[in-house]
Amino acid sequence: MNVVTALDSRTARPPEGTGTQARRDRQVTAEEANRLAEMFRLLGDPTRAQLLYALLAAGELCVCDLTEAVQVTDTAVSHALRLLRTAGVVASRREGRTIYYRLSDAHVRMLLDLSREHLREAR
């Protein structure tokens, strides 16, 4: 049974050698660390962050609606959406000549919700 421990709780360190494999299994590999850094860099742009939260709130929007919501040019919105779509953060569907964008899955929603909650607690 896995026990979740708060990050700020202090526990005595187990003797060297015990649980070493378990600790190694929880560490990220160099490849995972690089992919995580790329993802956070992608999410680190204010315009892209606003677009993601607009999609989180609305569920699905087209470029013209996102342009209005974020108050940037449609070119900037389209460029940001292309990056987010390529990274798998947003998904799209076409209806006639209009393309609608949405968050790709529940993991993205959870990441956005947790990030905002963390910011609000830090105040």
Side-chain angles (χ1 to χ4, degrees):
M1 176 170 120
N2 291 337
V3 176
V4 177
T5 306
L7 293 175
D8 58 352
S9 68
R10 296 179 183 240
T11 57
R13 233 186 154 151
E16 192 60 37
T18 59
T20 303
Q21 184 61 43
R23 283 193 301 276
R24 273 194 216 116
D25 291 343
R26 287 190 304 251
Q27 291 178 348
V28 296
T29 65
E31 180 185 344
E32 288 172 324
N34 285 330
R35 290 175 59 204
L36 281 168
E38 285 296 320
M39 178 66 68
F40 281 113
R41 241 182 258 120
L42 177 71
L43 301 176
D45 176 78
T47 299
R48 290 191 292 262
Q50 286 181 303
L51 291 170
L52 290 171
Y53 279 101
L55 291 171
L56 179 66
E60 189 176 69
L61 294 169
C62 64
V63 172
C64 60
D65 291 338
L66 285 165
T67 299
E68 188 176 315
V70 180
Q71 297 296 303
V72 295
T73 66
D74 58 346
T75 303
V77 170
S78 294
H79 176 70
L81 288 170
R82 187 182 79 237
L83 293 173
L84 293 167
R85 192 179 68 241
T86 301
V89 176
V90 299
S92 62
R93 72 172 177 86
R94 179 180 293 274
E95 189 174 297
R97 294 184 64 184
T98 306
I99 299 175
Y100 291 92
Y101 294 89
R102 66 187 179 286
L103 299 178
S104 63
D105 61 27
H107 295 110
V108 176
R109 288 180 192 84
M110 188 178 353
L111 179 62
L112 294 172
D113 284 338
L114 289 173
S115 297
R116 188 177 234 176
E117 183 179 327
H118 176 71
L119 286 176
R120 288 178 176 167
E121 284 182 7
R123 288 186 188 176

